[in-house]
């Protein structure tokens, strides 16, 4: 009987492996493979499939829920890590990695990822496989009406002599958005990956990605502006210049990535993977500036009928007069030419010059068939130099590098110099001015992971301990803060980040699996949140502390021939968070730098998803989540005057407890059905729902100084403290595709339609304003918050793609 079971097992294992690729019926390299020795079977293999941490909810809901701000589980985006062979990478490289053939794996929440300590928001990992693709060449063209018009992709992979492998990819996008005026994309992403095997178990690979891009963006606005123009997609960032559309908010980026990987087998049980990554380049974001003049932004509250109170302004907005509703570039240029050389208006770039380095070395030791140890060290250096650069003087000749906000100040009008060591500099196009500083983070650490799998039991223990140092270096000496207050290096702020995570699971059968996980961590705050005014001030926040994170999950997975089901109970608490904001304080009538410390949030709820194979050709996808994402502590607010660091409000309590986290739907649901017909035809339809959404709350409004003193009536007090709930969002999507199969190639045409209902009243997201409005009925002075700012989701849109693989 035992011999029969072993024989049956040896027969089923290769069949199970082949079943993972039902579409790859033709495999041209089968005859070239060497016959392998028969492996000793491990009974744990029966349970590996159900123990795999597949993110079924993410698989079904990615790109299928309504087009609204969606912070999964109410967590900050920085709590999700994207890793390429152990090194964290930016989102800007992901499209190129996929084109180059990198395999992507997503681990939700506290799921265990090999060699990664993980975060509460999950991990997305990329790695290049050892095998060769069956169809190594790709050519694709696509058309859409969102962000751009036309895109094209080409990719190729090949092997040549002496163990070399190469893959190259190119992605091009260009054109204007057909719905939102001023939005456009001109982007090219080029990638190259080289890999070489040599010696006994040695492999070296080099990756290079260059993603230059120019993108016109859109800005949020107030409900008054949307109502007056009758356009939910109203974009205040653009205007007419010489009869052509020009956007004032354009992102320009050229940030290449180079990555070197070396792997070697040190022994029969131990291997080493070392990675060195470098990211360097410039990212710029343009915006209008004005000097002793009226703001050129058309939707500023001073330009709207609710503030001006005159009928002429209201009629101009109702008539969509672009001189009122958009940036009047021609008028800005006219005023500059009348100013006698010095610019009244100018277009400037907020530039960031990046230079990030990372090194990671990971050892993997398989002590036996069930226990795997992964341990290693990492080093990183993140350096960002920020400055302003003059892009366009709009017909003027120059500006003088002084602080224009202080020209009429009775106290500080004699301290105008932005750069005391070069006073009164004349700024031309292309020159730096205003501010120039660098933020640097240096960190190193050690990590350890032990992964144990027996027949039914799985355990994973992960630990990471590091040391980070954050500092600022000023290249300008601000006259308001002379000497070391603004120039040179600041004090070094040190942190000890750590992560401790434990996971245990039990497979009741090859189809049923239950898992529990817990994590405690501390992470270093963002460098810009540690300085009151990093543009020109070395002063750090008092008693900086790392953000503490505590999380727990309970997962259940069911796999079967008909149904795959996954459900997760989760709870995440983040404490001692910090934020830094710069704003104009209407109550004190000064510009302020505000530190928000002691921020505490909690997220808890449930996610569930199911994939049901109704028949050979029909598949049903279901997913839903329900949770509560809220603030659980009242943070402290310290506001300092921007001119002398004097206290405007010290350690004020912001009554944020009970407020909901913005941009995070607390109820989601998705239902989708797909049909895969004969002869390559297929279609899919899905409906998504996002509910219990709120605008992002602002802590400043809920202090005694603002809500208590400003909200002198119940109506105004409620206006300061009540958090606005956004309307629920529903979407309906559909797609149709057709594939033509040839001997060794495939041609596919697909059409995707988003938001078929064409609902134009869905708010993508919003946030409360920091500003306070003064109302003077007679001799009294009343205060009310400024209106919240919104962005509306795109209406009905399409994607048409034609691709050829060969």
């Amino acid at each position: 009987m035992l011999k029969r079971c072993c024989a049956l097992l040896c027969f089923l294992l290769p069949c199970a492996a082949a079943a993972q690729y039902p579409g790859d019926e033709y495999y041209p390299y089968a005859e070239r493979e060497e016959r392998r020795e028969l492996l000793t079977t491990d009974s744990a293999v029966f349970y590996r499939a159900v123990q795999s941490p597949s993110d079924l909810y993410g698989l079904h809901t990615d790109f299928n829920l309504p087009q609204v701000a969606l912070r999964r589980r109410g967590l900050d985006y920085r709590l999700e890590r994207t890793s390429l062979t152990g090194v964290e990478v930016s989102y800007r490289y992901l499209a190129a990695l996929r084109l180059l053939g990198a395999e992507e794996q997503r681990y939700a929440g506290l799921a265990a990822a090999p060699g990664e300590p993980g975060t509460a928001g999950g991990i997305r990992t990329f790695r290049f496989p050892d095998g060769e693709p069956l169809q190594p060449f790709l050519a694709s063209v696509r058309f859409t009406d969102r962000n751009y018009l036309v895109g094209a992709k080409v990719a190729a992979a090949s092997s040549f002599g002496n163990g070399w492998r190469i893959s190259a990819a190119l992605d091009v996008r260009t054109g204007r958005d057909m719905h939102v005026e001023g939005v456009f994309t001109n982007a090219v992403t080029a990638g190259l990956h080289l890999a070489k095997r040599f010696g006994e178990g040695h492999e070296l690979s080099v990756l290079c990605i260059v993603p230059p891009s120019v993108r016109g963006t859109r800005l949020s606005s107030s409900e008054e502006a949307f109502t007056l123009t009758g356009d939910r997609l109203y974009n205040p960032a653009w205007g007419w210049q010489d009869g052509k559309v020009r956007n004032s908010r354009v992102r320009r980026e050229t940030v290449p990535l180079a990555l070197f990987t070396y792997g070697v087998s040190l022994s029969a049980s131990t291997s080493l993977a070392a990675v060195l990554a470098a990211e360097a380049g410039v990212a710029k974001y343009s915006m209008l500036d004005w000097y002793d003049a009226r703001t050129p932004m058309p939707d500023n509250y001073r330009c709207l009928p609710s503030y001006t109170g005159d009928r002429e302004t209201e009629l101009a907005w109702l008539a969509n007069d672009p001189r009122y509703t958009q940036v009047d570039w021609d008028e800005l240029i006219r005023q500059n030419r009348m100013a006698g050389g010095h610019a009244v208006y100018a277009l400037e770039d907020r530039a960031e010059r990046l230079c990030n380095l990372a090194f990671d070395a990971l050892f993997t030791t398989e002590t036996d068939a069930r226990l795997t140890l992964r341990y290693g060290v990492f080093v990183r250096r993140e350096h960002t130099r920020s400055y302003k650069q003059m892009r366009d003087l709009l017909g003027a000749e120059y500006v003088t590098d002084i602080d224009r906000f202080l020209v009429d100040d009775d106290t500080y009008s004699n301290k105008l110099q932005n750069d005391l060591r070069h006073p009164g500099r004349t700024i031309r196009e292309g020159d730096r001015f205003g501010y120039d500083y660098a933020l640097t983070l240096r960190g190193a650490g050690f990590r350890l992971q032990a992964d144990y799998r027996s027949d039914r039991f799985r355990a994973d223990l992960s630990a990471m301990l590091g040391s980070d140092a954050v500092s600022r270096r000023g290249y300008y000496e601000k006259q308001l803060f002379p000497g070391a207050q603004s120039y040179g290096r600041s004090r070094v702020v040190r942190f000890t980040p750590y992560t401790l995570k434990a996971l245990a699971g039990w497979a009741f059968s090859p189809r049923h699996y239950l898992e529990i996980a817990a994590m405690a961590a501390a992470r270093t705050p963002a460098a810009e949140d540690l300085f009151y005014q990093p543009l020109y001030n070395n002063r750090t926040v008092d008693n900086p502390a790392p953000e503490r994170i505590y999380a727990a999950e309970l997962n259940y997975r069911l796999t079967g021939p008909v149904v795959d089901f996954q459900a997760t109970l989760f709870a995440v608490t983040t404490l001692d968070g910090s934020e830094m904001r710069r704003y104009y304080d209407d109550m004190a009538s000064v510009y302020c730098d505000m530190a928000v410390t002691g921020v505490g949030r909690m997220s808890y709820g449930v996610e569930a998803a199911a994939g049901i194979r109704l028949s050979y050709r029909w598949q049903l996808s279901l997913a839903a989540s329900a949770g509560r994402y809220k603030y659980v502590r009242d943070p402290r607010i310290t506001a300092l005057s921007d001119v002398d660091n004097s206290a405007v409000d010290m350690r004020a309590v912001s009554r944020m407890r009970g407020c909901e986290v913005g941009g995070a739907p607390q109820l989601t649901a998705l239902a989708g059905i797909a049909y895969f017909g004969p002869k390559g035809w297929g279609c899919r339809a899905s409906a998504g729902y996002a509910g219990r959404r709120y605008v992002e709350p602002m802590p400043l409004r809920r202090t005694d100084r603002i809500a208590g003193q400003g909200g002198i009536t119940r109506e105004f007090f409620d206006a300061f403290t009540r958090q606005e709930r956004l309307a629920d969002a529903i979407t309906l999507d559909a797609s149709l595709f057709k594939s033509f199969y040839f001997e060794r190639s495939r041609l596919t045409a697909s059409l995707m339609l988003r938001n078929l209902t064409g609902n134009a009243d869905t708010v993508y997201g919003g946030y409360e304003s920091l500003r306070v409005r003064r109302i003077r009925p007679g001799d009294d002075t009343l205060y009310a918050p400024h209106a919240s700012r919104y962005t509306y989701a795109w209406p009905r849109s399409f994607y048409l793609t034609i691709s050829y693989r060969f």
Side-chain angles (χ1 to χ4, degrees), residues 24-42:
D24 296 338
E25 299 177 354
Y26 174 73
Y27 186 55
Y29 305 105
E31 296 179 356
R32 305 180 188 178
E33 292 185 346
E34 298 179 358
R35 187 179 301 275
R36 299 176 179 176
E37 296 181 3
L38 184 65
L39 300 178
T40 304
T41 58
D42 182 358

Side-chain angles (χ1 to χ4, degrees), residues 626-795:
R628 184 76 187 276
Y629 318 136
K630 62 180 182 179
Y631 289 82
V632 293
R633 287 191 175 181
D634 292 335
R636 297 295 188 268
I637 288 180
T638 297
L640 304 181
S641 171
D642 195 44
V643 294
D644 59 1
N645 281 346
S646 61
V648 175
D649 209 352
M650 292 295 292
R651 304 281 302 167
V653 176
S654 174
R655 291 175 174 82
M656 291 283 290
R657 184 178 301 179
C659 289
E660 312 291 340
V661 175
Q666 300 181 13
L667 295 174
T668 66
L670 171 83
I673 188 166
Y675 172 73
F676 303 92
K679 299 182 180 180
W681 283 100
C683 60
R684 187 181 188 277
S686 64
Y689 165 80
R692 284 189 58 85
R693 304 188 300 134
Y694 295 85
V695 299
E696 185 66 38
M698 291 298 166
L700 179 68
R701 293 169 56 156
R702 292 165 175 82
T703 61
D704 288 339
R705 188 173 65 92
I706 303 298
Q709 298 179 22
I712 59 177
T713 67
R714 171 59 61 181
E715 178 184 1
F716 286 123
F717 182 81
D718 288 343
F720 279 112
T721 58
R722 183 179 62 251
Q723 185 180 11
E724 180 185 355
R725 178 175 173 175
L726 299 175
D728 297 349
I730 299 176
T731 188
L732 179 64
D733 303 332
S735 60
L736 175 69
F737 68 89
K738 166 66 175 176
S739 294
F740 302 89
Y741 294 92
F742 306 100
E743 182 179 357
R744 296 190 180 184
S745 60
R746 181 178 76 246
L747 177 67
T748 301
S750 64
L751 174 64
M752 176 184 292
L753 301 176
R754 305 296 304 271
N755 194 11
L756 282 173
T757 59
N759 187 2
D761 295 327
T762 300
V763 176
Y764 173 84
Y767 62 91
E768 296 175 348
S769 174
L770 284 167
R771 299 294 302 274
V772 175
R773 180 179 177 183
R774 297 186 182 188
I775 305 173
R776 292 187 172 90
D779 295 333
D780 296 330
T781 300
L782 303 177
Y783 297 93
H786 273 284
S788 297
R789 308 280 293 188
Y790 308 103
T791 302
Y792 279 83
W794 265 271

Side-chain angles (χ1 to χ4, degrees), residues 222-438:
S222 63
E223 187 62 32
E224 181 182 3
F226 292 121
T227 301
L228 289 171
T229 59
D231 182 11
R232 296 302 191 190
L233 301 179
Y234 166 69
N235 179 17
W238 70 276
W240 297 100
Q241 180 178 342
D242 292 334
K244 297 181 180 180
V245 172
R246 183 177 184 182
N247 196 330
S248 64
R249 298 297 181 99
V250 178
R251 292 188 182 276
R252 296 172 174 87
E253 291 186 353
T254 304
V255 187
L257 170 71
L259 187 141
F260 305 87
T261 304
Y262 174 70
V264 59
S265 296
L266 301 177
S267 67
S269 60
T270 302
S271 62
L272 167 65
V275 183
L276 176 63
E279 177 188 40
V282 179
K284 299 180 180 181
Y285 187 40
S286 66
M287 59 184 62
L288 282 168
D289 202 357
W290 55 100
Y291 313 102
D292 300 327
R294 179 180 176 178
T295 172
M297 298 310 298
D299 66 333
N300 183 273
Y301 73 97
R302 294 177 179 270
C303 304
L304 294 175
S306 61
Y307 181 87
T308 61
D310 64 284
R311 182 62 175 168
E312 180 184 355
T313 301
E314 182 179 4
L315 291 175
W317 273 85
L318 291 172
N320 279 325
D321 186 339
R323 295 175 299 173
Y324 288 79
T325 62
Q326 307 301 149
V327 176
D328 193 346
W329 292 97
D330 295 329
E331 175 63 18
L332 302 185
I333 294 173
R334 187 185 67 82
Q335 292 194 31
N336 272 353
R337 289 173 176 171
M338 295 176 59
H342 193 288
V344 178
Y345 297 97
L347 185 68
E348 63 187 32
D349 279 332
R350 306 292 175 93
E352 292 184 345
R353 187 174 295 274
L354 310 176
C355 183
N356 301 329
L357 303 174
F359 173 77
D360 183 272
L362 180 66
F363 295 86
T364 301
T365 299
E366 297 182 358
T367 60
D368 55 38
R370 299 185 178 185
L371 178 62
T372 301
L373 298 177
R374 299 179 178 90
Y375 46 95
V377 296
F378 60 89
V379 180
R380 62 171 175 157
R381 179 184 182 271
E382 299 176 1
H383 180 85
T384 302
R385 183 165 178 173
S386 302
Y387 53 89
K388 282 203 300 186
Q389 188 173 20
M390 183 58 67
R391 171 161 289 276
D392 190 349
L393 286 167
L394 301 178
E397 298 178 8
Y398 66 94
V399 296
T400 305
D401 192 12
I402 61 175
D403 192 334
R404 291 287 169 178
F405 294 106
L406 301 178
V407 171
D408 298 326
D409 192 287
D410 294 335
T411 305
Y412 300 99
S413 58
N414 61 341
K415 296 183 177 181
L416 302 178
Q417 300 301 325
N418 287 324
D419 186 4
L420 190 57
R421 304 195 174 199
H422 301 86
R425 282 194 310 133
T426 298
I427 305 302
R428 311 286 182 179
E429 292 180 359
D431 292 342
R432 297 186 187 185
F433 71 107
Y435 61 84
D436 189 355
Y437 70 97

Side-chain angles (χ1 to χ4, degrees), residues 92-101 136-142 148 150-157 166-174 186-193 207-213 802-805:
R92 60 173 64 93
Y93 309 115
L94 301 191
L97 289 174
R98 297 184 181 108
L99 271 179
L100 290 171
F137 302 101
L138 166 68
S140 172
V141 62
R142 59 193 183 279
Y148 62 96
V150 181
K153 297 179 181 180
V154 291
I166 183 174
S167 57
L170 183 68
D171 185 0
V172 180
R173 285 160 288 168
T174 186
N186 293 312
V188 177
T189 301
L192 178 68
H193 180 245
L207 171 70
C208 183
I209 299 177
V210 183
S213 65
I802 302 173
S803 61
Y804 181 58
R805 288 188 175 274

Side-chain angles (χ1 to χ4, degrees), residues 364-651:
T364 301
T365 299
E366 297 182 358
T367 60
D368 55 38
R370 299 185 178 185
L371 178 62
T372 301
L373 298 177
R374 299 179 178 90
Y375 46 95
V377 296
F378 60 89
V379 180
R380 62 171 175 157
R381 179 184 182 271
E382 299 176 1
H383 180 85
T384 302
R385 183 165 178 173
S386 302
Y387 53 89
K388 282 203 300 186
Q389 188 173 20
M390 183 58 67
R391 171 161 289 276
D392 190 349
L393 286 167
L394 301 178
E397 298 178 8
Y398 66 94
V399 296
T400 305
D401 192 12
I402 61 175
D403 192 334
R404 291 287 169 178
F405 294 106
L406 301 178
V407 171
D408 298 326
D409 192 287
D410 294 335
T411 305
Y412 300 99
S413 58
N414 61 341
K415 296 183 177 181
L416 302 178
Q417 300 301 325
N418 287 324
D419 186 4
L420 190 57
R421 304 195 174 199
H422 301 86
R425 282 194 310 133
T426 298
I427 305 302
R428 311 286 182 179
E429 292 180 359
D431 292 342
R432 297 186 187 185
F433 71 107
Y435 61 84
D436 189 355
Y437 70 97
L439 294 176
T440 303
L441 182 147
R442 298 178 179 87
F446 170 82
R447 72 178 189 270
L448 170 67
Q449 183 182 63
D451 184 3
Y452 176 81
R453 292 192 182 189
S454 65
D455 289 356
R456 296 173 180 262
F457 178 71
R458 178 187 179 181
D460 185 283
L461 299 175
S462 300
M464 185 280 292
L465 180 63
S467 176
D468 289 343
V470 181
S471 62
R472 175 191 182 273
R473 179 176 179 179
Y475 295 95
Y476 284 177
E477 183 180 356
K478 181 80 169 177
Q479 191 170 13
L480 286 172
F481 306 102
Q485 294 182 73
S486 59
Y487 186 78
R489 295 191 181 278
S490 69
R491 78 180 182 100
V492 178
V493 187
R494 301 187 183 277
F495 299 92
T496 305
Y498 66 85
T499 299
L500 298 173
K501 186 172 70 173
L503 179 148
W506 179 263
F508 296 94
S509 73
R511 295 185 179 180
H512 301 270
Y513 179 66
L514 188 66
E515 180 180 86
I516 187 170
M519 186 189 78
R523 68 167 183 163
T524 301
E528 57 269 19
D529 289 334
L530 296 173
F531 295 85
Y532 275 100
Q533 179 52 284
L535 273 65
Y536 42 76
N537 198 334
N538 275 335
R539 178 169 177 172
T540 62
V541 298
D542 300 327
N543 302 316
E547 184 178 42
R548 294 177 292 141
I549 305 168
Y550 303 97
E553 285 185 8
L554 180 64
N555 293 285
Y556 170 74
R557 285 195 285 272
L558 165 67
T559 63
V562 177
V563 177
D564 289 333
F565 175 77
Q566 186 174 3
T568 303
L569 294 172
F570 62 88
V572 182
T573 299
T574 59
L575 304 174
D576 296 332
S578 61
E579 301 174 0
M580 189 65 64
R581 295 184 181 273
R582 290 94 200 171
Y583 71 104
Y584 183 78
D585 194 293
D586 295 277
M587 302 288 282
S589 299
V590 295
Y591 284 93
C592 288
D593 306 317
M594 178 180 65
V596 184
T597 57
V599 178
R601 302 182 182 94
M602 174 177 283
S603 301
Y604 58 88
V606 59
E607 289 179 346
I612 305 174
R613 290 167 284 278
L614 300 175
S615 67
Y616 177 73
R617 300 192 181 277
W618 290 92
Q619 291 187 4
L620 178 66
S621 301
L622 301 172
S625 71
R628 184 76 187 276
Y629 318 136
K630 62 180 182 179
Y631 289 82
V632 293
R633 287 191 175 181
D634 292 335
R636 297 295 188 268
I637 288 180
T638 297
L640 304 181
S641 171
D642 195 44
V643 294
D644 59 1
N645 281 346
S646 61
V648 175
D649 209 352
M650 292 295 292
R651 304 281 302 167

